[in-house]
Amino acid sequence: MSEPNAVAGPSKPKGAFGGIATIGIHSDTIDKSNPRGIPYAPFVTNVDDFVGGQDAGVEGIMGSFKEMTSKYQYMEVSLQTRRKGIESKIPDIAETLKVVKFLEARRCKSLGTQPTVVPKDSNESDEEQDDEDALSDEPESEDEDDLLAEANELEASDEQLESGKVPGQKALKTLYELNDTLFAEAEVEENGQVGLWLGANTMLMYPLGEAVLLLSEKLSTAKKNLNNIKEDLEFLREQVTVMEVNFARVHNVSLSGRRLQKEGDQGKKGEHVKSLKDQD
Amino acid sequence: MRQEDESEGIEVAWEDQQRISAFSKYNTRLSSIQDELKKLQEEKELYDDLEMELELADEKEPVPYQLASTFFHLTPPQALRQLSLERRTLQKDIRRLEKRRDECVDGMKGLKIELYAKFGNQINLETDPKDD
């Protein structure tokens, strides 16, 4: 085998790939990362140059390859957890939005007004993710009951909101989920407001229109985050594949190198050597 | 894979690796889209059945209509209105997914041509026939 130390590369930026020199690595994969800052796996184009350009021997290279691969895999696992979290939040938000929209449509109809139009692609940004988490971290299953119960309570207690009532509107009768398998009857006296559970033991009253906008925004943010996570997961899987290819290539070179050496030493042609002959 | 790259004589370049990755990405995406589509289509059938039922129901007799975890007592005409709203959303989702599915299929078609041109029978990109 060649002497790895003899070929000291002109540029050996440490750190980029855990101290691996970038000779023989495709330039598209050096110092590049995806939109969320996950680095590309280095793709070895020329195995001989690459192995020759390293301070560490083949064993060392394979070791750092393994390390990188497991870093990617670790990220994959943690993203999968986040993905599951968001995936379970989205239906909750969507369902709540559906109910609020229903209440609003009902109210608008009896008042003869127009329901809120949700602007398409309202300018949400990634920074809103934290709000998003705050909104949905708490279990949301109680949302509807709370929402309805709260609406009722408020109606009775707050005179000011009492005025929000539409005269002559037929009461809205519901069966709400008291427990998993138990439903109770409730009559909702609509006053144009709903209580939204924001998590952290907080519920805020919103006019229906504002609630629709808020929930729509949360929903689209959550969907966008989910898409980003899905993209990242696809990206990570690709990087793992690239690392496996790299690993296989370096492994092959080291095997053939070792076998050729053996062949030279002993002049013996074992079966396993024969299989590699066409390569020379 | 280990032996193939080197000993079969065709070098897998970075561009090829990217194509293979893209193909595998499309493939995974496609199967998850198809699962989701199937679910939505089943849901749509339920909606269709429900619509029929509601049209036959007594107009004055309220029915419990489920939104989220709560049942609202709605008259069949009210319920039908709500149903058509929900169905429109569902329809939109289905169309969006179908579009994404077609994008995947087209993308895979293009990559297949490129990859087979280079690797011939050394590469197998065929998916289950049921996926088509």
Side-chain angles (χ1 to χ4, degrees), chain A residues 244-263:
Chain A
E244 280 166 355
V245 172
N246 285 340
F247 193 87
R249 290 183 156 188
V250 174
H251 184 76
N252 277 349
V253 163
S254 89
L255 274 192
S256 62
R258 228 176 278 162
R259 280 170 191 168
L260 288 175
Q261 204 178 23
K262 228 186 209 171
E263 195 180 350

Side-chain angles (χ1 to χ4, degrees), chain A residues 80-153:
Chain A
Q80 260 154 2
T81 319
R82 270 191 66 199
R83 176 188 172 159
K84 275 199 197 106
I86 291 196
E87 269 177 348
S88 69
K89 273 178 208 165
I90 286 179
D92 279 345
I93 302 175
E95 294 280 81
T96 308
L97 179 59
K98 205 158 86 178
V99 177
V100 177
K101 271 189 175 162
F102 165 77
L103 290 172
E104 197 203 19
R106 202 179 130 82
R107 184 174 176 82
C108 286
K109 202 172 162 247
S110 40
L111 288 174
T113 51
Q114 285 300 310
T116 313
V117 181
V118 180
K120 282 210 166 169
D121 272 344
S122 51
N123 46 338
E124 338 88 5
S125 60
D126 285 338
E127 282 76 45
E128 276 169 317
Q129 195 188 321
D130 291 342
D131 306 4
E132 169 54 40
D133 287 341
L135 176 76
S136 313
D137 267 352
E138 301 292 320
E140 291 224 348
S141 56
E142 296 164 7
D143 245 27
E144 306 317 328
D145 334 356
D146 288 345
L147 203 143
L148 295 169
E150 193 72 4
N152 273 335
E153 218 176 274

Side-chain angles (χ1 to χ4, degrees), chain A residues 28 34 42 72 77 82 86 91 141 145 147 150 162 185 192-193 197 202 209 221 237 256:
Chain A
D28 277 3
N34 87 339
Y72 282 123
V77 171
R82 270 191 66 199
I86 291 196
S141 56
D145 334 356
L147 203 143
E150 193 72 4
E162 183 85 34
E185 230 179 46
Q193 304 222 352
W197 184 252
T202 311
T221 312
R237 215 158 295 142
S256 62

Side-chain angles (χ1 to χ4, degrees), chain B residues 58-105:
Chain B
D58 180 355
E59 285 212 359
K60 299 242 158 45
E61 198 61 40
V63 290
Y65 188 95
Q66 189 175 22
L67 283 172
S69 63
T70 306
F71 292 95
F72 292 81
H73 293 279
L74 302 180
T75 61
Q78 285 175 318
L80 276 170
R81 230 178 356 252
Q82 180 63 25
L83 187 67
S84 79
L85 269 180
E86 287 180 44
R87 221 165 52 163
R88 212 175 308 154
T89 319
L90 191 66
Q91 202 81 49
K92 236 191 273 168
D93 285 345
I94 290 178
R95 264 203 299 274
R96 192 175 41 86
L97 280 177
E98 280 171 345
K99 210 175 127 215
R100 289 190 53 210
R101 180 194 59 192
D102 295 345
E103 278 167 15
C104 287
V105 172

